Amino acid sequence: MYFTLGILLAYISSKILFYCMQKTVFRNEKVLIEEFGRIEPLEFSFNFVFVSGLIATYYLLLFYIFTTMPIFVLGSLLFLVLLGISIVDWRYQFIFDEFLLALLALAVWGMVYRELFVWQSLLNSLLGMSGMLALAWISNGGMGGGDIKMTAVLGLMFTPMEFFHMITLAFVMGACVGIILLACKMRTRKDKIAFAPYLSLASILFFLKGLI
């Protein structure tokens, strides 16, 4: 029963997620054309099946670990928003404000649900944003504005130690994947590499760990 329900919810969630991604890309068409000269469409055949399977696996795991409905809803919505951000960032190297606003609402919900100190959450956001700004300046634009804003938003729903470990894990994963892509000649040193997928994965892991 739970398996069938998970598959059904994953299918519906994937449909909604891809619809939202399409609409977001369409609304920001001018920005993407200015950056790339043209827009490559999102591929839906294989990606939809892969994303649906990923969401179904996550739903079943989430329901197995957490049986309370508020945590399931929060964890599911957070995963979907971060997944949408990751897919779009990997495809276009952009993080759009529409997704960040949704992430902000969920981050505030997570902060309240976990009963975190507001001043600590705001300090996380400030330090995270400052660190990413410094990195963007040092790397001469290697870190985008979307990554900076995303880091600031994610800082709201972690303790300072969790946030530090989350950022560290994201950079380690990003560095490892970047080295592999360079070694396989799938990227060059001049190519941009999306950072949102690693931020998303690290934040999901530490957010769920903080609820256990």
Side-chain angles (χ1 to χ4, degrees):
M1 176 182 173
Y2 293 140
F3 180 80
T4 304
L5 182 60
I7 296 296
L8 179 61
L9 285 176
Y11 176 80
I12 296 173
S13 299
S14 299
K15 282 285 189 180
I16 296 173
L17 179 61
F18 274 95
Y19 174 80
C20 292
M21 287 191 295
Q22 277 186 317
K23 287 296 183 180
T24 302
V25 170
F26 179 76
R27 280 195 297 266
N28 294 275
E29 183 178 12
K30 291 183 178 179
V31 177
L32 292 173
I33 290 177
E34 289 177 1
E35 179 70 17
F36 300 107
R38 62 192 180 97
I39 301 178
E40 294 291 341
L42 288 166
E43 293 113 4
F44 287 91
S45 53
F46 169 75
N47 285 346
F48 183 81
V49 175
F50 174 76
V51 169
S52 297
L54 186 63
I55 294 174
T57 303
Y58 177 80
Y59 280 174
L60 293 172
L61 179 64
L62 192 65
F63 191 78
Y64 178 77
I65 299 175
F66 306 106
T67 56
T68 57
M69 187 56 66
I71 296 180
F72 181 80
V73 173
L74 174 58
S76 298
L77 291 176
L78 182 63
F79 181 78
L80 289 176
V81 171
L82 289 173
L83 183 59
I85 290 174
S86 299
I87 293 173
V88 173
D89 189 39
W90 184 269
R91 186 68 188 81
Y92 300 108
Q93 285 77 53
F94 264 89
I95 302 176
F96 298 113
D97 291 338
E98 292 89 338
F99 280 105
L100 289 175
L101 287 173
L103 182 61
L104 176 61
L106 294 173
V108 172
W109 182 6
M111 178 184 68
V112 173
Y113 187 86
R114 297 187 63 196
E115 299 180 347
L116 301 177
F117 293 109
V118 176
W119 69 269
Q120 284 188 342
S121 297
L122 293 176
L123 182 61
N124 285 344
S125 295
L126 179 62
L127 292 177
M129 184 172 61
S130 301
M132 295 293 274
L133 279 170
L135 185 59
W137 180 74
I138 294 172
S139 62
N140 194 25
M143 194 65 63
D147 298 316
I148 296 170
K149 289 184 284 186
M150 183 178 176
T151 303
V153 171
L154 289 173
L156 294 174
M157 58 184 186
F158 295 106
T159 65
M161 190 58 65
E162 288 173 344
F163 187 60
F164 173 76
H165 288 155
M166 186 273 288
I167 293 294
T168 302
L169 178 60
F171 274 106
V172 169
M173 290 190 295
C176 291
V177 173
I179 291 172
I180 293 173
L181 292 176
L182 289 173
C184 296
K185 297 184 179 180
M186 298 175 66
R187 291 288 192 277
T188 66
R189 293 181 179 273
K190 295 181 179 180
D191 291 331
K192 292 182 178 179
I193 297 178
F195 188 57
Y198 315 111
L199 272 178
S200 298
L201 179 57
S203 61
I204 279 291
L205 291 175
F206 276 95
F207 182 74
L208 295 179
K209 178 178 178 295
L211 291 174
I212 296 176

